[in-house]
């Protein structure tokens, strides 16, 4: 049995609709395809129920998957940073960062670093593991990774502003 790797919060919005917030931290270690797939299937199932109910969904946290990589490219990736399987997401969902232009996405700092050494810019392995999934009835209006130089953690804050459609 898989442990739930996320929590769910609800905010009443209007006419019985809710803003449903998923806060997650998916498993990073163990190199287990079964655990990775199981966690995502559980998450996607719960999110799909909310979308089918007409609710607004924002899901954010540490996905422990490379959010910028092509999901077909699994050859040279770290065991703790496989490309995220976007093609398996339920209909009606997208990563907020996918709304950025290529220029904005390329200029955005990575959100996580390898923690087995001190941070050395340009040398330490960095990757974007953190972000937000939003339902089609949520509009991302601002998105950024706050570049702290990894001064406080092996992750950097990711901030998103959004509005309900």
């Amino acid at each position: 049995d898989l442990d739930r790797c996320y929590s769910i919060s609800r905010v009443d919005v209007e006419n019985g609709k809710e803003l449903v917030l998923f806060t997650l931290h998916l498993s990073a270690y163990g190199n287990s395809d079964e655990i990775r797939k199981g966690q995502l299937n559980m998450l996607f199932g719960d999110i799909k129920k909310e979308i089918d109910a007409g609710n607004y969904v924002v899901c954010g946290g540490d996905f422990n998957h490379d959010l910028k990589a092509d999901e077909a490219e699994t050859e040279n990736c770290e065991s703790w940073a496989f490309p995220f399987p976007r093609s398996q997401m339920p209909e009606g969902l997208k990563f907020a960062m996918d709304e950025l232009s290529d220029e904005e996405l390329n200029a955005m700092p990575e959100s996580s670093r390898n923690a087995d050494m001190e941070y050395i810019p340009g040398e330490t392995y960095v990757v974007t593991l953190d972000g937000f999934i939003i339902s089609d009835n949520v509009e991302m209006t601002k998105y950024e990774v706050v570049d702290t130089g990894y001064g406080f953690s092996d992750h950097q804050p990711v901030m998103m502003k959004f509005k309900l459609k």
Side-chain angles (χ1 to χ4, degrees), residues 92-127:
L93 290 178
K94 63 184 169 241
F95 271 95
M97 68 188 288
D98 292 346
E99 297 295 298
L100 298 172
S101 69
D102 287 344
E103 184 178 276
E104 291 169 317
L105 193 60
N106 290 333
M108 185 174 74
E110 305 295 345
S111 72
S112 186
R113 70 172 180 89
N114 192 341
D116 67 355
M117 62 182 282
E118 71 176 281
Y119 176 62
I120 302 169
E123 201 171 309
T124 304
Y125 179 77
V126 293
V127 62

Side-chain angles (χ1 to χ4, degrees), residues 7-27:
S7 62
I8 303 172
S9 304
R10 298 173 179 281
V11 178
D12 288 330
V13 179
E14 57 182 41
N15 301 329
K17 280 193 178 183
E18 295 178 315
L19 169 59
V20 183
L21 305 168
F22 288 76
T23 306
L24 65 80
H25 188 183
L26 297 180
S27 179

Side-chain angles (χ1 to χ4, degrees), residues 28-44:
Y29 301 101
N31 295 326
S32 170
D33 288 340
E34 186 177 327
I35 290 173
R36 268 192 292 273
K37 288 177 185 175
Q39 286 182 340
L40 289 173
N41 287 338
M42 185 185 303
L43 175 67
F44 292 158

Side-chain angles (χ1 to χ4, degrees), residues 33 36 69-79 81-84:
D33 288 340
R36 268 192 292 273
D70 181 332
E71 70 182 281
E73 301 294 323
T74 59
E75 283 295 309
N76 297 315
C77 63
E78 295 287 338
S79 64
F82 274 77
F84 191 87

